[in-house]
Amino acid sequence: FQFFWLSLNVWLFGKTFLLYNQGLQYYYLHQMLGLGLCVSRASASVLNLNCCLVLLPMCRVLLAFLRGSQKVASKKTRRLLDKSKTFHVTCGVTICIFSVLHVAAHLVNALNFSENYNEEFVTLNAANYRGEVSQLYLMSLLVPGLTGVIMVLVLFLMCTASTYAIRVSNYDIFWYTHNLFFVFYMLLMLHVSGGVLKYQTNLEEHPPGCFNPNKTLQQNLTVPKAFEEMFPDYTTEPFPEDLPVPEPFVQNSFVRVCSEEPKFQSHFPETWLWISGPLCLYCVERLYRYIRSNKPVTITSVISHPSNVLEVRMVKDDFEARPGQYVILHCPRVSALESHPFTLTMCPTDTKATFGVHLKVVGDWTERFRDLLLLHSNQDTEILPIFQQRRYPKLYVDGPFGSPFEEALNYEVSLCVAGGIGVTPFASVLNTLLDGWKCHKLRRLYFIWVCRDIESFRWFADLLCMLHNKLWQENRPDYINIQLYLSQTDGIQKIIGEKYQALNSRLLIGRPRWKVLFDDIAKCNRRKTIGVFCCGPNKISKILHKLSNSSNSYGTRFEYNKESFS
């Protein structure tokens, strides 16, 4: 997909480059600016396309609607929608690359406007005289020049703050700088209003290079190829000065006489046509999301789990969600503007309205949020009673929104691999199966959970045990295959006792042998399509992606899906 998108942008760049390089209406401007004109306009066309589409992957409500509609989106289409984040990043990188080309081309244009000042076409010049200093030139281009400089600075901040190192070390910087996109788009609309580059409007009355009887005929006139094809009888041979030039003879046999001076006009700004639609769609969606999440939720309980994991359970009127979806939490007492996405670990059902999330305390926002929730609790694992809910801070929930894990129940066989806190997307799937599995297409689930220490296992040990016992009672012990991998063995005897006896045989020390695991699954599910879902470190994700694309001798097909929490 990325190769296709790169090819599309290169094709658009080349097509626009040839238009400005060979177009008769740009002949005089091209003579003045050279390749700087072609590169600046070609890069601008690519920037228009990417600035138009970069916002669409961030329209979460639209993506959730398309993903949840079986009539609108097939399984392949929904898997393509899962690449929305990758598409957003690809558009952002493309904007950065072609912005560098655009700026460099305009710096060359600035020099050419000054060095190639043409006194015959005063309206075509952006400079006021030949050799004008750069300071006066920038003043003459106040709107496009000033807005361009500010946009470059904003784009630089957004790009550098989007790197992996900054997002992990200080997510606040990424969040606040990325919201400068609105300033960028407002400046972009002003940037194209300068009208510096102009094209000729009267080609019929004044073909490029035509003979003007009121002026001296230029020697060795360069004629564009397109003009020669349009007028095959044209010649640049000058007439003798003492020989009268009959107008019909000149027009029909040798040269064409200009009937008027060339007229130039600024381009109609087209950028707003590209970006106004997606920008309005995004703004309308943000307004809808604000109205939808304007009412705070009711927090029913808060549980502090080992390894700095906090569970928050809450209820909200008319809230509906599917397993695998996520919500965005906003707590004004923690931050007035900042909000963060969290995967639902418990979804509301027909019998209960409670839904919940698990969040790992790893940054400033989660630390402050935990301190506010557990302010009146001294016991780590105590579920606070509902009558204490007045002490909780106001919490607003935006969502739910779709994710790749919604498809986990739509395969006949699914392989779910979690690393650490990455188990949260699968918790809602397990909770849904606990309420009833017969109504779903899924008939076999392979659940692999890799943890560093045994304490992390306690997050969902009760849920795994209840689901295991339920399936045994219904005579379907083969419905779910649980494998828990622990890299540390300290305290394993302490935590694993009679309470979790059903999971003792599922506990393995070390790391999974992924190749052997895939071969065993393929052998047991010949000629079937298996959905592979991963939420964890990139190292595990790359291994699973590679194995999913590898062929096997059993005719089994693996379809890879990934969610990254880093």
Side-chain angles (χ1 to χ4, degrees), residues 17-28 30 203 208 224 226:
F17 185 95
L18 293 177
L19 172 64
Y20 281 86
N21 188 46
Q22 300 179 358
L24 288 177
Q25 64 269 38
Y26 308 108
Y27 172 71
Y28 289 112
H30 184 269
L203 292 177

Side-chain angles (χ1 to χ4, degrees), residues 314-347:
M314 59 204 102
V315 293
K316 182 181 179 180
D317 295 338
D318 301 325
F319 182 84
E320 297 180 357
R322 296 187 297 271
Q325 292 186 324
Y326 69 95
V327 294
I328 297 178
L329 301 185
H330 173 59
C331 183
R333 288 185 58 182
V334 176
S335 176
L337 300 176
E338 193 175 348
S339 57
H340 291 274
F342 296 96
T343 306
L344 290 170
T345 54
M346 180 186 298
C347 294

Side-chain angles (χ1 to χ4, degrees), residues 413 444 446 520-528 530 556:
V413 182
R444 179 169 296 175
Y446 294 89
D520 291 341
I521 295 176
K523 184 177 180 180
C524 297
N525 302 275
R526 298 172 184 265
R527 293 181 295 276
K528 291 184 178 180
I530 300 176
T556 305

Side-chain angles (χ1 to χ4, degrees), residues 187-259:
L187 291 173
L188 183 59
M189 290 187 177
L190 294 175
H191 180 69
V192 298
S193 62
V196 178
L197 304 180
K198 302 176 182 178
Y199 67 98
Q200 185 180 344
T201 58
N202 57 341
L203 292 177
E204 290 292 332
E205 296 78 7
H206 186 103
C210 65
F211 170 65
N212 192 338
N214 297 326
K215 296 185 179 181
T216 304
L217 188 65
Q218 302 294 325
Q219 299 290 335
N220 300 324
L221 187 63
T222 303
V223 181
K225 183 178 179 181
F227 181 75
E228 291 180 349
E229 296 176 353
M230 183 180 296
F231 305 104
D233 297 333
Y234 178 88
T235 178
T236 59
E237 188 69 21
F239 286 93
E241 294 182 359
D242 57 347
L243 184 67
V245 184
E247 183 174 341
F249 173 80
V250 173
Q251 290 182 349
N252 297 329
S253 301
F254 295 96
V255 296
R256 186 172 181 181
V257 176
C258 310
S259 59

Side-chain angles (χ1 to χ4, degrees), residues 299 376-377 382-392:
I299 300 177
H376 304 283
S377 176
E382 179 185 4
I383 299 180
L384 300 183
I386 195 170
F387 61 79
Q388 293 185 5
Q389 64 187 21
R390 297 178 181 177
R391 299 182 181 180
Y392 293 133

